[in-house]
Amino acid sequence: MTADQTRLEHFVAAWKESVDDVVGLLRSLDEDDWRRPTDLPGWDVHAVACHLAHLEAELAGEPQPVVDVPELDHVTSPMGRYTEQGPLSRREHRPAAVIDELERAAARRHAQLVADPPRDGDAAPPITPGGIGWTWQTLLSNRALDVWMHGQDIRRATGRPGDLDGLGAAHTMQVFAMSFPYSVGKRVAPPAGTTVALEVSGAQPVHLVVRVREDGRAVPLTTRPDEPVDVTLRMGPEAFIVLGGGRREPGQVPVDLDGDPVLGRRILAAMAVTP
C-alpha cells in the first residue's frame, strides 16, 4: 500500500468513526435539544444534522432537491448558499428521518469507499460538494474534519461534551495545528525573530513553537528555545477547536496568555481555519 493510500484510508476511518458518533449522539437527544441554537449563525441542531445528511447523501450519489435560498444574514458566499440547501430542503423532516438518512447515506458511501478505495490523493473524485474542484485528498480530509466539528457543535449546544479522543479529534487537531504557523506568519505578520508557543492540553495534545523568519514565514522549531518566547498560548482542546473552527471570538473562550498581550490577542483572532 502506498503512502497516499494509507493516508486516504486513515481519513476514511476518521470520517466513519465521527459519523457513527454523531448518529449515536443525535439518537440520544430529546425534542427540545433539536431546537437549540449552535455556534453556527442561523443554524440550530436540526439544521446541522440536515446539513450532514445532505452532504453525505449527495456524496453517496443520491439525487438532491434544489431549493431557492432567500437572502439570509448568515449566507454570505456561493458555498454558503449551497450548504444552506440541506437545512432548507429538510426543515420539515422529523429528527428520526434526518438521522436515518444520514446513517443510510454514510453506510452506502462507506461501502463504496471500501469496495473501490481511492489510490491517488491528487485525483478528482466523481462527486464533490456543490461540484467544487477538490482532490480526493482534500475531500476526504475535509469530510473527516467537517463531520467531527459538527458533532462538537451539537455537543456544545446540548451540553453533551465528549468524543475528544478519537480519530476525528486527532485529525482535526492536526489540521488546525498545521495551520498555526500560517496564521502567525501571514495573517498576523509580526517582526522577524518573533517566537510563539502553542500548548493545547487533553487527549490529543499540541506542543508547538514557531519562529518568524526574515521572509515572513513562521516555521516550527524542533526544540523549545532557551530564551523566552514572545508569547505563549495555553488552552484546552475545546477552546482550540472553537478558535480553529471560527465558532466564537477569542474573548469567549478560556485561554491563558503569557508574554506580549497585544500580540497574543492578534494571534488568537487569526486562528480560524474554517469559515
Side-chain angles (χ1 to χ4, degrees), residues 49-191:
C50 289
H51 163 68
L52 290 174
H54 168 218
L55 261 63
E56 294 306 334
E58 181 171 61
L59 291 171
E62 299 177 10
Q64 296 300 300
V66 177
V67 298
D68 291 328
V69 178
E71 293 299 321
L72 300 167
D73 290 342
H74 63 277
V75 178
T76 58
S77 68
M79 195 62 180
R81 299 188 75 82
Y82 162 75
T83 56
E84 202 68 27
Q85 296 267 338
L88 286 177
S89 62
R90 293 162 175 79
R91 59 187 167 188
E92 302 302 327
H93 290 196
R94 297 290 300 163
V98 177
I99 299 170
D100 288 346
E101 181 185 21
L102 172 59
E103 187 173 40
R104 182 189 68 248
R108 178 178 178 181
R109 185 160 169 260
H110 185 250
Q112 294 167 349
L113 291 168
V114 170
D116 185 19
R119 294 171 173 79
D120 181 359
D122 293 328
I127 304 173
T128 59
I132 194 169
W134 285 349
T135 62
W136 272 116
Q137 162 83 19
T138 301
L139 173 64
L140 295 179
S141 175
N142 283 359
R143 290 312 304 140
L145 185 150
D146 186 63
V147 173
W148 186 81
M149 282 294 291
H150 284 316
Q152 293 299 307
D153 291 329
I154 296 168
R155 287 183 177 280
R156 286 193 305 278
T158 60
R160 289 171 169 81
D163 193 29
L164 291 171
D165 57 356
L167 296 177
H171 172 68
T172 303
M173 300 280 280
Q174 181 182 44
V175 170
F176 288 174
M178 290 174 62
S179 299
F180 186 73
Y182 177 86
S183 297
V184 173
K186 295 301 181 183
R187 292 180 176 173
V188 179

Side-chain angles (χ1 to χ4, degrees), residues 176-245:
F176 288 174
M178 290 174 62
S179 299
F180 186 73
Y182 177 86
S183 297
V184 173
K186 295 301 181 183
R187 292 180 176 173
V188 179
T194 298
T195 307
V196 179
L198 172 66
E199 300 286 344
V200 181
S201 60
Q204 312 287 350
V206 175
H207 305 287
L208 184 63
V209 181
V210 301
R211 176 172 289 158
V212 179
R213 303 190 313 195
E214 290 294 335
D215 62 3
R217 290 186 61 195
V219 296
L221 302 180
T222 55
T223 59
R224 193 178 181 102
D226 293 332
E227 68 271 16
V229 300
D230 293 278
V231 64
T232 298
L233 304 173
R234 297 186 181 90
M235 64 193 76
E238 183 170 281
F240 185 54
I241 64 165
V242 165
L243 290 172

